[in-house]
Amino acid sequence: MTRTSSPADAPVPGGWDELVTAALLGTERRTPPGCAPGPGAPAALLDAAAVETVRRRAGLRPAPAADRLEPAPADPRPPLPAPAARRLAMLLANRPAASGRGTAPDLMELLPQWLAAAEARGFAAPAQALPALLDAARGRTDLRPAVLRFAGPRALWLARLNPDWRFALRAAGGTGALARPGDPEKTRALWQEGLFAERVALLSSLRSRDPAAGRDLLASTWATERAEDRLMFLDSLRTGLGPEDEPFLEQALTDRSRNVRGTAAELLSALPGSALASRMAARAAACVAVDRTRDTPAIVVEAPHECDADMERDGVLPTPPTGRGARSWWFGQLVEAAPLGIWPARLGGRTPGEIVLLPVADDWRDDLHAAWCRAAVRQRDAEWARALLGAPTAPEAGGPGAVSLAERAKLLGTLSAGERAEWVAGFIATHGLSEAFQLLGVCAVPWAAPLGRAVVDALNIARDAGSYPWSFSGVMGLAERCLDPAEASRLDGLLAVPDEPEDASPGAGGYWAESFQRLVTTLRLRAAMAEELR
């Protein structure tokens, strides 16, 4: 038995893509599929598009009748409060303006924050919002994890009915098995028979709750996996990485793939007690010492003169990038992989803060400090990160060791949220906002009060100085999403159009007033969103 349909309900020949093509070219140049040419073609195109839109949103395409679907699984979480449900519908319906945002908030940019807040409070997604949520996640890959967590099991049920939403099945492993531990037969069957994305999701899920089980599952098929798959699977071991993983990773050091060997070495170097870390420590220590014969103690470096087979086995890449000296390249890799704990004893019992202040002979300072920066990030060593960052108010914006804004941002990531905010606030107060964008991106949301005040004060100073306003649009966008909504009242005095200095950019005052108005409006909207979820 098949489901009957009227001619008006019939699928459009050629589908949605043909309708879009006809709309773009115009009905005079391209007759819409299933429509007669002539003056009635535009209306017929709109009618066909409306029918096809309903069909696509319904999630189920016309087809011969099949077995009755199993009902969607229940979602035990409490329902979303009605005001919050209405707000979600508004956020999902919003589309960015084609030119300029004016003073209206960019609602789509607030959706990730709203999803995080709703998930933290444990609410279930409204059933009627699931198609729009899946469509939003389809268009923005950064939204997918948050959308799928909030949408819950009913989104996966719905995704099986529409090929446009297959990404949800890949992200969740294609089944609900990943959320139900304790079924080894189903787990092994999925590992052996599943698609690659399903297997990656399964391994990541296992590592998050039982690292040993995940490692054993990977070991069971390791010898038969393709090199590119072994690399991706090995990367999953970062979750739950511990000393118990060392024997498996040591075995991976002999892999025929150079990339696999390199990843295994990187993971082992993140375990300070591993045998590889000890080997790298011995090599690095042989290259660095304190010269006490000088009037002022200084670090001297004797970089390796060759990259032998044992170094290659331990992950040292022998061929340097273009423009980089071979000895400098090998030296940096050795220091980066050595445990940072070896250096105080090796360099005269000094603390990390004292070590980074020592002069380094023969222009090796940048190489040595850059390698220490990478080691501090890899080993999550906050003490070394503080030493390499230095004081945020130092005249040299890069601190004693960091070599770039990107490096400083990574070092900040090893510190607590409060310490990060305090350091970046001090940096902005001293150096302004021109170099702070990357640093702001690693700070916890909402920004702590000192950081929020520093950003607002710096924007105010730039406005009063008549600075070119569009160069601060990125920071303004971050402030809209990250500034504490409680700061809105402090901004009321910045909403008026200021008097422009003679050397100011034309129209700068109006732009600044518009930007601050949008910032205040967005902060108050975020406060309302939070209240609706309570």
Side-chain angles (χ1 to χ4, degrees):
M1 177 181 175
T2 58
R3 180 175 67 82
T4 61
S5 61
S6 68
D9 259 346
V12 176
W16 180 258
D17 291 341
E18 287 294 329
L19 291 175
V20 172
T21 301
L24 291 173
L25 295 177
T27 55
E28 292 182 356
R29 299 175 60 189
R30 175 69 64 89
T31 300
C35 305
L45 171 62
L46 294 177
D47 289 343
V51 171
E52 189 67 11
T53 298
V54 171
R55 181 178 292 110
R56 287 161 60 86
R57 289 181 176 175
L60 180 63
R61 294 185 172 184
D67 295 337
R68 184 181 294 274
L69 288 172
E70 291 293 327
D75 193 332
R77 296 174 295 178
L80 197 64
R86 290 192 293 271
R87 181 70 65 189
L88 173 61
M90 291 174 58
L91 295 177
L92 291 170
N94 182 69
R95 294 292 181 271
S99 59
R101 290 190 296 158
T103 59
D106 190 341
L107 298 184
M108 278 299 289
E109 290 303 314
L110 297 181
L111 182 57
Q113 196 171 117
W114 188 97
L115 288 168
E119 182 191 355
R121 295 187 175 274
F123 290 120
Q128 66 273 19
L130 293 177
L133 280 166
L134 288 167
D135 279 341
R138 180 192 178 203
R140 284 183 54 176
T141 56
D142 61 306
L143 287 177
R144 290 181 182 179
V147 164
L148 294 179
R149 288 193 301 268
F150 174 61
R154 293 179 297 179
L156 298 182
W157 179 89
L158 194 59
R160 294 188 184 97
L161 307 177
N162 188 341
D164 288 346
W165 300 330
R166 282 177 182 162
F167 70 86
L169 304 179
R170 292 193 297 269
T175 71
L178 300 186
R180 295 193 296 273
D183 191 346
E185 291 186 7
K186 197 168 186 178
T187 296
R188 188 163 295 278
L190 179 60
W191 177 250
Q192 293 177 345
E193 303 169 8
L195 300 174
F196 174 70
E198 295 172 344
R199 300 177 74 209
V200 171
L202 173 62
L203 182 58
S204 299
S205 176
L206 273 177
R207 287 289 293 183
S208 65
R209 64 174 184 260
D210 188 348
R215 182 187 63 249
D216 292 344
L217 188 67
L218 177 57
S220 68
T221 60
W222 178 259
T224 60
E225 303 289 355
R226 299 184 306 166
E228 55 267 34
D229 293 351
R230 291 199 303 276
L231 181 62
M232 290 293 293
F233 292 144
L234 196 62
D235 198 63
S236 298
L237 297 190
R238 296 180 192 277
T239 303
L241 182 66
E244 300 80 7
D245 297 317
E246 183 179 356
F248 179 81
L249 293 172
E250 275 284 343
Q251 179 186 356
L253 288 177
T254 63
D255 196 272
R256 57 186 179 273
S257 166
R258 185 180 68 180
N259 290 333
V260 171
R261 295 196 302 270
T263 300
E266 180 186 347
L267 293 173
L268 283 167
S269 69
L271 299 172
S274 68
L276 179 137
S278 298
R279 296 193 295 270
M280 288 299 201
R283 294 173 181 130
C287 297
V288 180
V290 172
D291 184 356
R292 295 181 175 85
T293 64
R294 302 168 181 251
D295 294 337
T296 301
I299 294 176
V300 291
V301 171
E302 182 63 32
H305 290 270
E306 65 173 345
C307 180
D308 58 34
D310 288 338
M311 288 169 61
E312 283 197 58
R313 178 186 180 275
D314 285 345
V316 177
L317 300 178
T319 305
T322 303
R324 181 82 179 268
R327 295 181 66 200
S328 166
W329 174 242
W330 301 329
F331 171 71
Q333 293 178 79
L334 295 182
V335 174
E336 177 182 355
L340 288 163
I342 70 170
W343 297 114
R346 176 65 178 164
L347 301 177
R350 294 174 171 85
T351 66
E354 293 168 335
I355 289 172
V356 299
L357 294 178
L358 285 173
V360 182
D362 301 326
D363 296 325
W364 281 104
R365 177 182 181 275
D366 288 348
D367 290 287
L368 179 61
H369 284 193
W372 277 337
C373 284
R374 296 192 298 273
V377 172
R378 181 183 295 188
Q379 298 170 35
R380 310 299 297 174
D381 193 308
E383 183 180 10
W384 272 90
R386 293 186 196 99
L388 292 161
L389 281 165
T393 56
E396 182 186 357
V403 295
S404 68
L405 281 170
E407 200 72 47
R408 291 198 290 274
K410 292 176 182 177
L411 289 170
L412 284 168
T414 67
L415 307 181
S416 68
E419 193 172 357
R420 259 179 283 164
E422 184 178 354
W423 196 95
V424 176
F427 181 91
I428 291 172
T430 303
H431 305 288
L433 287 170
S434 59
E435 293 188 343
F437 185 79
Q438 281 184 284
L439 307 182
L440 288 168
V442 301
C443 294
V445 178
W447 289 335
L451 177 57
R453 286 194 293 270
V455 171
V456 172
D457 290 346
L459 288 170
N460 192 21
I461 290 171
R463 183 193 72 151
D464 290 345
S467 299
Y468 191 66
W470 294 274
S471 61
F472 295 92
S473 58
V475 175
M476 274 290 191
L478 270 181
E480 291 172 21
R481 300 187 296 275
C482 304
L483 198 62
D484 191 325
E487 297 287 326
S489 58
R490 295 186 58 240
L491 298 170
D492 287 339
L494 304 177
L495 302 182
V497 178
D499 295 331
E500 297 183 4
E502 291 184 2
D503 56 348
S505 303
Y511 173 87
W512 281 111
E514 181 182 274
S515 297
F516 280 119
Q517 179 64 64
R518 183 171 59 246
L519 176 57
V520 170
T521 303
T522 304
L523 293 178
R524 289 177 176 154
L525 175 59
R526 285 174 52 209
M529 286 165 42
E531 184 62 32
E532 291 162 357
L533 286 166
R534 291 194 177 97

